[in-house]
Amino acid sequence: MMENKILEVRDLEVKFPVKSKLFSPKEEKFKTVIDKVSFSIVEGETFGIVGETGSGKSTIAKTLVGINYPSGGEIYLLGRKINFNRKSDLIFLRKNVGIIFQDPVGSLNPKLRIFDIILEGLNFEEKYTKEEKKSKVLEIAKKVGLNESKLYSYPSELSGGEKQRVSLARAIISPKKILILDEPTSSLDVSIQAQILNLLQNLKKELNLTYIFITHDFNVIKYMCDRLGVLYYGRMLEISEVKDAYENPLHPYTKDLMNANITIEGTSGFESELEMGEPERNGCIYLNSCRFKMDVCRSDPPLIQLNARYVKCWLYEESRREEYAKVNRGT
Ligand SMILES: Nc1ncnc2c1ncn2[C@@H]1O[C@H](COP(=O)(O)OP(=O)(O)O)[C@@H](O)[C@H]1O
Ligand SMILES: [Mg+2]
C-alpha cells in the first residue's frame, strides 16, 4: 500500500502550569496533560481520536494548530519539522491545518456578521480586493450549504447547525491539507448531526482533505473514521483500524470500552460507564483498572507495534505472547 504520511507526531508532551496554593504562591508546578503521545496520519484518511472528557483530546488538537506549545517531542507536517519558536513554522502549520471546535457559539465573534466571520479564515499573507473577497465567501458558503441570506446575520440569529457550517466555511476558505474536527457535532441535535457529518464526508472528497476527528461517540467513529487512536489520561494506548478496534480490541482499556458500549443500551458515548481506578502515573496508566495486570505493569510500557497496529501494553511484548493469546481467548 502506498502510504503518504502527511503528519507525524513523536513523543508529544504538553504541560500546563498549575499555581500551587499549598506552597509558596510564586512557585509554579506543571501538570503533564499530554504524555509522550505518538501517531501519524496518512494523506486522505480520517483518523479518530477518542477518549473521555479531560483525556487531552482538545489539547492535542490545539497543539497541532499552534495554540498550545509542546514541552517535548516532535511534530512533522509534510515532512517539515515544526519549530514552535519560529514564526514561519507556525504560519506553515496554521496555513495547512484548520480546526473546528465543539462549541460554535464560543468560537464565533457575536459582534461580527457571518460574512466577516468567514473572512477571518482568509490567509492573511494573501491580499484580495473587495470583490475577490466577496466571491470567495459566496463560493465557500455554497460549498458548506449556508444560505446566502444568512451572510449578513449575526451568530445569535443562526441555528446550531448553521453556526457549525460557518465555522467550517471559515476553516476552509483558505485551502487546507488537514482539518481537525474537535467534537464538531456534540452540541447539535441528532438530526442535525447527521447533516453535518454527511457534509463533512462530501467536503473531504471534494477538497482532498485529511481529517483528524475527535469524538467520544462510538457511532460517529464508526461512521466517519478509518483508524482510531485511544487516549487515556494523556497517553495514547492503542492505534488501530476502526474495524479491528471493534472486532478485536488489543488494549485492556479498549476492550473495556467496547464491552461497556455493547452491553449498555441506548448510550453511544463512554463517559462514566466504567468503574475506573485512579490513573497510575508512574507505571502503566491503566494499572489500577486493568483486569490483566502483571508485576511488570508498574513500569510504563512502550508503544508496541503489531503489524499495522500499535498498543501500549506489556501483554504484547514479544516474550509475553502466551498471555496475549490467553487474553484473546478470554474476550
Ligand atoms: N490552558 C490550560 N491550562 C491548564 N490546564 C488545561 C488547559 N487546557 C486543558 N487543561 C487540562 O488538560 C486536561 C485535558 O483537557 P482537554 O484537552 O480539554 O481534554 P478533552 O478535550 O479530552 O476533554 C484537563 O485536565 C484540562 O483541565
Ligand atoms: Mg475537548
Side-chain angles (χ1 to χ4, degrees):
M1 194 158 86
M2 279 275 286
E3 292 207 332
N4 187 9
K5 267 188 211 170
I6 190 167
L7 177 80
E8 198 175 346
V9 174
R10 281 192 211 152
D11 293 325
L12 180 68
E13 194 183 87
V14 182
K15 290 179 177 173
F16 289 117
V18 271
K19 287 255 155 50
S20 167
K21 285 173 195 132
L22 286 173
F23 306 103
S24 123
K26 283 205 181 113
E27 185 187 347
E28 261 196 336
K29 292 199 153 194
F30 288 88
K31 91 170 169 178
T32 303
V33 167
I34 299 301
D35 198 356
K36 303 221 166 52
V37 162
S38 301
F39 61 94
S40 49
I41 311 282
V42 176
E43 185 156 26
E45 78 170 330
T46 297
F47 184 79
I49 298 179
V50 295
E52 294 161 69
T53 300
S55 58
K57 304 182 297 297
S58 296
T59 301
I60 293 180
K62 288 178 191 163
T63 308
L64 293 177
V65 291
I67 297 174
N68 293 329
Y69 287 23
S71 51
E74 289 131 47
I75 293 173
Y76 296 83
L77 175 63
L78 298 160
R80 173 163 162 184
K81 184 173 168 176
I82 304 300
N83 178 345
F84 281 76
N85 296 315
R86 196 182 292 148
K87 203 175 164 198
S88 58
D89 280 12
L90 288 176
I91 291 171
F92 178 72
L93 196 65
R94 289 172 189 152
K95 216 185 218 174
N96 287 293
V97 187
I99 189 164
I100 291 176
F101 296 102
Q102 167 177 358
D103 171 24
V105 182
S107 62
L108 305 182
N109 184 340
K111 293 191 180 128
L112 291 183
R113 289 180 199 271
I114 299 305
F115 186 92
D116 294 306
I117 291 176
I118 295 175
L119 274 182
E120 290 176 331
L122 272 187
N123 183 356
F124 54 85
E125 281 186 323
E126 290 166 49
K127 298 279 169 259
Y128 300 101
T129 65
K130 221 174 157 187
E131 284 72 42
E132 284 169 336
K133 283 182 185 171
K134 183 161 185 196
S135 77
K136 274 185 170 291
V137 172
L138 288 178
E139 186 194 346
I140 204 72
K142 200 171 174 190
K143 275 210 171 75
V144 301
L146 191 68
N147 200 308
E148 199 186 323
S149 66
K150 304 283 177 185
L151 291 174
Y152 305 97
S153 306
Y154 290 92
S156 62
E157 300 168 88
L158 268 57
S159 70
E162 285 167 342
K163 277 181 229 173
Q164 215 44 319
R165 289 177 200 269
V166 173
S167 308
L168 192 52
R170 178 176 58 185
I172 59 178
I173 187 169
S174 288
K176 295 287 189 307
K177 287 276 185 196
I178 300 176
L179 191 57
I180 303 176
L181 304 149
D182 189 354
E183 312 214 38
T185 59
S186 307
S187 65
L188 305 177
D189 292 345
V190 176
S191 60
I192 309 294
Q193 278 188 24
Q195 289 177 14
I196 299 291
L197 294 178
N198 286 331
L199 170 65
L200 289 169
Q201 298 273 40
N202 293 336
L203 281 176
K204 184 175 170 240
K205 267 182 249 151
E206 191 183 335
L207 304 175
N208 280 319
L209 288 164
T210 301
Y211 283 167
I212 298 179
F213 201 106
I214 295 173
T215 179
H216 61 257
D217 186 325
F218 277 116
N219 293 326
V220 173
I221 296 162
K222 275 190 190 159
Y223 187 62
M224 296 296 293
C225 302
D226 301 306
R227 287 191 308 140
L228 116 96
V230 179
L231 197 65
Y232 185 71
Y233 285 95
R235 296 189 200 173
M236 194 73 98
L237 300 186
E238 173 166 352
I239 300 170
S240 291
E241 293 215 355
V242 170
K243 190 170 174 289
D244 291 335
Y246 279 90
E247 290 174 3
N248 175 26
L250 295 177
H251 198 284
Y253 175 57
T254 322
K255 289 174 191 286
D256 288 345
L257 282 182
M258 297 304 171
N259 288 338
N261 183 49
I262 288 158
T263 52
I264 296 171
E265 246 175 76
T267 48
S268 55
F270 52 78
E271 278 167 71
S272 72
E273 284 172 17
L274 298 169
E275 286 277 342
M276 296 295 233
E278 282 295 302
E280 178 57 55
R281 304 272 169 197
N282 297 316
C284 170
I285 192 89
Y286 199 53
L287 177 71
N288 298 323
S289 306
C290 189
R291 295 180 276 150
F292 307 103
K293 67 178 165 216
M294 306 172 283
D295 284 342
V296 66
C297 305
R298 300 199 175 285
S299 64
D300 192 28
L303 192 63
I304 296 165
Q305 184 171 6
L306 293 170
N307 300 319
R309 305 178 70 177
Y310 296 86
V311 59
K312 194 171 164 67
C313 174
W314 287 116
L315 286 172
Y316 301 91
E317 201 206 12
E318 198 113 45
S319 64
R320 289 189 185 78
R321 287 296 155 83
E322 208 154 300
E323 276 108 320
Y324 167 45
K326 235 187 286 172
V327 168
N328 275 341
R329 279 198 297 276
T331 42

